[in-house]
Amino acid sequence: MKTGAKLLIEALQREGTDTIFGYPGGSVLPIYDELYDSPLRHILVRHEQAAAHAADGYARASGRVGVCLATSGPGACNLVTGIATAYMDSVPLVAITGQVPTTMLGNDAFQESDIQGITMPITKHNYLVKDTSDIPRVVQEAFYIAGTGRQGPVLIDLPKDINTRSVKEPVVPEKVALRGYNPTYKGNKRQIDRAIELIVAAERPLIYAGGGVISSNASPELVTFATNLGIPITTTLMGLGCIPCDHPLNLGMLGMHGTEYANFAVTECDLLIAIGARFDDRVTGKIDTFAPHAKIIHIDIDPAEIGKNKRVDVPIVGDVKSVLTDMIAGLKKIGTCDAWQKKIKHWKQHHPLRYGKDNGCLHPQFILQQMSELLKGDAVIVSEVGQNQMWTAQYFCFRQPRTWITSGGLGTMGYGFPAAIGAHFARPDVPVFDVAGDGSIQMNIQEMGTVAQYKIPVKIAILNNMYLGMVRQWQELFYDRRYSYTELPPVEFVKIAQAYGIDGIKVESCDDVMPSLKAAVDCDGPFVLDFRIEREENVFPMVPAGAAINEMIGGHPRS
């Protein structure tokens, strides 16, 4: 006979779980009692939202399913933002929540919330377990659903009496078989052949690669495919790292804060090959003017995404890695689109990313360039959300997949610091940096207690302009500089870090940037860098809301 809590821990071990991020409470005490003697590593965060973000960061950095645990009621509700973040970015996550006993369900019992109903729109699937014998099967199914097809979060809600009840150990199925759930991995051959015909005929082809390339572990196939055919690649925010930053075919990020040459290329291409991307509004701008002259091939594992926002000429439903492998086998070298590449090279030379380097101010772009030069791509970079995120995407050179972790679809401030904690446990072999703004870091700053307790060597680089920077930028450009509630009082972040026993440096000079970064990397534990940057620095280029992506503020006149 085994308790439900015991069955849960054993089921997690069978799925290969090694780390759980959580926070205890009354309804999950039976689970925590089992964890006391378990080989599973549990990281005690300081807020349940951080548990979800840490599990998310672990999943993105490792490619495995992340796990978080919270008690019922407020604990479960505090996971919601993290679950929604994972859902928007298709991150494999299993969230386990406690619940009041089954006899009290629906009675407004102490710390009861209908977390199953609350999270239904932001999970791939969720469970309310009402039979202890179902726990092994439910856990097996949850991991399978989270990690297959278009990945995403799954929630398991466990009433307290289900955890304490003892049952004869149930038989665990050898494999999962779910009626109605059968993701398509193999692309349709006829559609692949049609795509090949369009590629052969194209004169100005362009690849638009998204986070699905990284989820599918298809970066090698993408680079081979592009290199064989000489097709340039532009990536979404979530796709950064799927092709090395310095690869000659890489145009960097497209969209609202993308490179000018990537946005020009999209506007003038005659064939757009969308791979693991979803044509979201931050990429497309005014949808009618996005790739206006192009035939479109769309490869995605989720059929619901194909044709959702943009008409598609050749839809291919399937796993990116599988489809690209088939396309590489079916395509011979067809030349290297020399005239098209020459035009793009001209744009790159005349429309580079740029900022005011020589005016004596500490520019955030310079800090990111120095960080990139020091780390040489051998690190995991996590960001918060806002200007800090966009500057990192623009100026840090990502050479490998799963080294860039950020909240894309939901844009969750406070995400980066706890996600960096999770990334460390997935990749303890490399430095992990969280690039933050002074606004976003304060949303989960309590996690300094977590990194201090476990001596987690996460480095926090705060780009401190004493503003909610991205909102302030919009107020400057579109609201006549009426800075309504976006100015923040100065905070001595190094002193806060020291209160937790964490080292740090305040940096105000360009000459001190590289030495301070080296000091952070050389430190065995966590480290805080408080960079006092130019206060009204803006992220450029920028596509205004509702404009076409080639209509950029802060760019040079087109040539």
Side-chain angles (χ1 to χ4, degrees):
M1 303 289 283
K2 292 182 177 178
T3 66
K6 181 72 171 177
L7 291 175
L8 173 68
I9 298 304
E10 290 180 348
L12 291 173
Q13 289 179 260
R14 277 194 299 273
E15 297 299 329
T17 302
D18 57 20
T19 306
I20 299 173
F21 304 91
Y23 201 92
S27 70
V28 289
L29 282 177
I31 299 172
Y32 272 86
D33 190 58
E34 286 295 337
L35 279 170
Y36 189 83
D37 298 315
S38 166
L40 295 178
R41 174 172 52 198
H42 178 278
I43 302 301
L44 175 66
V45 296
R46 298 306 186 265
H47 190 288
E48 291 92 350
Q49 182 185 348
H53 291 329
D56 176 307
Y58 175 95
R60 297 194 206 211
S62 67
R64 301 167 62 194
V65 177
V67 180
C68 58
L69 173 61
T71 194
S72 63
C77 289
N78 282 341
L79 294 178
V80 168
T81 299
I83 293 171
T85 300
Y87 183 76
M88 288 289 283
D89 289 344
S90 305
V91 178
L93 182 74
V94 170
I96 301 167
T97 53
Q99 186 53 275
V100 300
T102 54
T103 54
M104 296 182 180
L105 286 171
N107 290 338
D108 294 331
F110 177 66
Q111 292 194 333
E112 178 184 5
S113 64
D114 177 14
I115 196 63
Q116 186 184 27
I118 290 168
T119 60
M120 194 169 290
I122 55 169
T123 52
K124 276 189 75 175
H125 192 62
N126 58 27
Y127 297 87
L128 172 60
V129 182
K130 294 185 177 180
D131 187 332
T132 300
S133 298
D134 288 340
I135 289 176
R137 174 186 59 82
V138 166
V139 171
Q140 185 185 43
E141 290 179 3
F143 273 77
Y144 178 73
I145 293 169
T148 56
R150 181 176 181 173
Q151 298 173 341
V154 177
L155 181 132
I156 303 172
D157 198 25
L158 290 166
K160 188 171 183 179
D161 58 326
I162 298 300
N163 292 323
T164 56
R165 190 174 299 150
S166 294
V167 297
K168 185 178 179 180
E169 187 169 4
V171 176
V172 181
E174 288 187 9
K175 68 178 201 175
V176 177
L178 295 172
R179 185 178 178 183
Y181 180 72
N182 187 26
T184 300
Y185 281 83
K186 187 77 172 172
N188 182 281
K189 185 179 185 305
R190 183 178 298 178
Q191 295 298 85
I192 290 174
D193 290 343
R194 287 181 61 202
I196 288 173
E197 290 175 6
L198 288 183
I199 293 169
V200 170
E203 295 180 356
R204 302 185 305 280
L206 180 68
I207 293 169
Y208 152 44
V213 175
I214 293 173
S215 296
S216 180
N217 297 314
S219 295
E221 289 77 11
L222 175 71
V223 174
T224 298
F225 176 72
T227 304
N228 285 353
L229 304 174
I231 303 177
I233 298 176
T234 181
T235 72
T236 66
L237 177 71
M238 305 305 299
L240 290 171
C242 68
I243 179 172
C245 54
D246 48 5
H247 193 288
L249 292 174
N250 188 4
L251 304 185
M253 185 174 68
L254 81 165
M256 178 173 281
H257 293 294
T259 65
E260 292 176 65
Y261 39 87
N263 288 350
F264 291 160
V266 172
T267 305
E268 294 204 8
C269 69
D270 64 358
L271 177 66
L272 186 68
I273 309 167
I275 305 176
R278 59 187 180 88
F279 292 88
D280 71 285
D281 58 293
R282 287 296 171 112
V283 161
T284 64
K286 186 179 180 183
I287 192 72
D288 293 343
T289 61
F290 184 77
H293 312 297
K295 297 282 188 181
I296 296 178
I297 299 166
H298 192 179
I299 304 167
D300 202 287
I301 200 164
D302 184 358
E305 286 297 343
I306 295 179
K308 185 178 80 174
N309 295 326
K310 185 76 175 175
R311 182 192 60 80
V312 174
D313 296 281
V314 181
I316 303 175
V317 177
D319 174 67
V320 167
K321 192 179 189 76
S322 172
V323 173
L324 284 178
T325 299
D326 289 344
M327 292 182 77
I328 290 167
L331 268 164
K332 297 178 182 178
K333 291 192 176 183
I334 57 172
T336 54
C337 311
D338 288 341
W340 178 228
Q341 288 196 34
K342 185 176 180 180
K343 189 169 193 176
I344 288 174
K345 185 177 180 180
H346 172 82
W347 286 334
K348 279 188 169 184
Q349 290 172 343
H350 289 82
H351 300 270
L353 290 170
R354 58 200 173 277
Y355 60 93
K357 300 178 183 179
D358 302 320
N359 61 358
C361 298
L362 181 54
H363 294 283
Q365 301 94 327
F366 174 75
I367 296 167
L368 271 305
Q369 287 175 326
Q370 292 282 285
M371 187 184 296
S372 185
E373 180 182 327
L374 175 66
L375 298 173
K376 302 188 186 317
D378 191 22
V380 174
I381 307 299
V382 188
S383 86
E384 303 288 344
V385 167
Q387 288 181 315
N388 62 86
Q389 179 185 37
M390 293 298 109
W391 284 320
T392 308
Q394 290 177 335
Y395 287 93
F396 192 93
C397 184
F398 297 99
R399 291 188 168 85
Q400 302 171 53
R402 300 195 184 279
T403 57
W404 165 237
I405 295 172
T406 195
S407 171
L410 198 64
T412 306
M413 290 180 68
Y415 168 83
F417 187 18
I421 292 171
H424 164 74
F425 287 102
R427 294 289 312 276
D429 55 316
V430 296
V432 177
F433 269 80
D434 171 35
V435 180
D438 53 309
S440 55
I441 192 63
Q442 293 185 70
M443 286 201 168
N444 273 312
I445 199 168
Q446 76 284 337
E447 297 311 311
M448 284 193 182
T450 304
V451 296
Q453 177 182 352
Y454 296 100
K455 298 181 173 56
I456 302 169
V458 167
K459 320 303 177 185
I460 309 163
I462 303 170
L463 305 180
N464 187 349
N465 55 15
M466 289 177 278
Y467 280 114
L468 297 175
M470 187 61 85
V471 185
R472 183 214 59 78
Q473 176 170 331
W474 279 65
Q475 288 174 334
E476 175 187 335
L477 298 175
F478 307 115
Y479 292 88
D480 198 28
R481 299 178 72 96
R482 289 162 57 86
Y483 294 165
S484 179
Y485 302 101
T486 48
E487 187 166 11
L488 299 174
V491 175
E492 295 295 336
F493 290 106
V494 173
K495 290 183 179 179
I496 293 174
Q498 289 170 345
Y500 283 97
I502 297 171
D503 287 336
I505 300 173
K506 181 163 70 175
V507 183
E508 299 178 282
S509 165
C510 293
D511 293 338
D512 294 331
V513 170
M514 185 60 83
S516 67
L517 288 169
K518 288 180 178 177
V521 172
D522 290 342
C523 177
D524 291 336
F527 201 93
V528 171
L529 295 163
D530 182 3
F531 292 106
R532 298 303 176 99
I533 63 170
E534 169 65 16
R535 291 199 68 199
E536 292 187 290
E537 188 81 58
N538 287 329
V539 180
F540 289 129
M542 177 182 181
V543 178
I549 62 168
N550 62 335
E551 298 173 345
M552 290 164 276
I553 299 173
H556 281 317
R558 191 153 174 198
S559 60

